[in-house]
Amino acid sequence: MGKNKSSRKGKKAWRANISTEDIEDFFDNSTKDALSGGSLAQVPSDSLFYVDKSRDLSVKRKIEKHREKVLRYDSILQSNAFVEPVPSSTGKKSKKKSKLQIAKDTAQQGQKDSSGGDSGMVDIWNDKDELVIKTKKAKTSVIPAVEVEPPGCSFNPPSESHQDALACAVADEMQKIYRNELGPEPIPLVVPGEVVNEEDMYFLEADSGSDTENENLVEDGKTDLDKRPQKPKMLTQVEKNRRARRKEQLKAEAEATKAAQLSKEIDSLPDIIQEIEREEGEKQKRHLRRVTAIKEKLKSCPPRLGKRKFVPAPAQVLLSEEITGSLRKLKGCCTLARDRFKSLEKRGLVVPSKKSSRK
């Protein structure tokens, strides 16, 4: 085995190979700190950072002075109470304003108009500096929220009232039956008939084509006979003069008839006025009847809200065999949720919907 080679340099040469970069960096940083006034790492934070609370009063005064300046045409417009001046020094504001801002603007404008002259503006601010805003009243339904059924629908009704309620229920059902029977028949989806073969279709088309050709020939022959050229008849001077006199005579008669009709209408002016008043009275009566009919209709059914009409629930009347006279033996025929939903539909608070069938 060979011997390990040792460094040719001795211990005296080790000092020449030591790096002095960190020492040089330290001296450079200390020199910079001495020239700049000290090291920043040793300075406290209060001396490095501070809050600037000073104000530039000169710029603020210039802006306020520019805003307070009133141009000549603005001063002329301000003196006139009927002309609203357009401020030129105000900046652009957003187009959307709140209700409170609009109310304040109208109040300030009203004060300006009242100081300059009389105007129709009304101060909407009362003595307590409260804003008065008009609110729209909600439309209340004429139909009550909870309707009381007739006494014949009770669990132990009297005989007469029970018979009346049964008669009303039977009448409603019969109206539905008559409406279905006497109503118009629906359009059938399939038309009954036989399928025509292609050969039969060819013969049918040929027969129809020959018939149309014969009809066209006959019509052409008739038209040829009717459209023969006729020789124009020569008019003599006497005939021309007679026609001119006849034309003037008809014109004079038409003017005389028109004048007589106008004088007759002038003489019958009081009758025309009475007729107009009578028509106006009839029109008002028709309008009143229409309004009354609409109000009466709203008492029984709601206005049309959607594509489906309101269908009232059938009357809950017990049959004679079902009357037991005891509330414990009463059968439940209608749930409270269904009754409340029908009430909402009848008052026009909910759009009528189609009854969903449970599978």
Side-chain angles (χ1 to χ4, degrees), residues 35 38 66 74 98 100 144 208 272 277 308 328 342 358:
L35 293 175
H66 180 68
D74 287 339
S98 60
L100 186 61
S208 61
I272 295 173
E277 291 178 354
R308 293 184 178 86
R328 294 181 178 180
K342 279 291 181 182
R358 296 181 179 177

Side-chain angles (χ1 to χ4, degrees), residues 38 50 53 60 69-70 82 94-95 119 125 166 192 201 283 296 340:
Y50 67 96
K53 296 182 180 181
K60 187 176 180 182
K69 184 179 179 181
V70 181
F82 299 99
S94 60
K95 295 181 179 179
S119 62
W125 298 90
L166 277 177
M201 284 290 295
K283 191 183 293 183
E296 291 295 331
R340 289 297 85 209

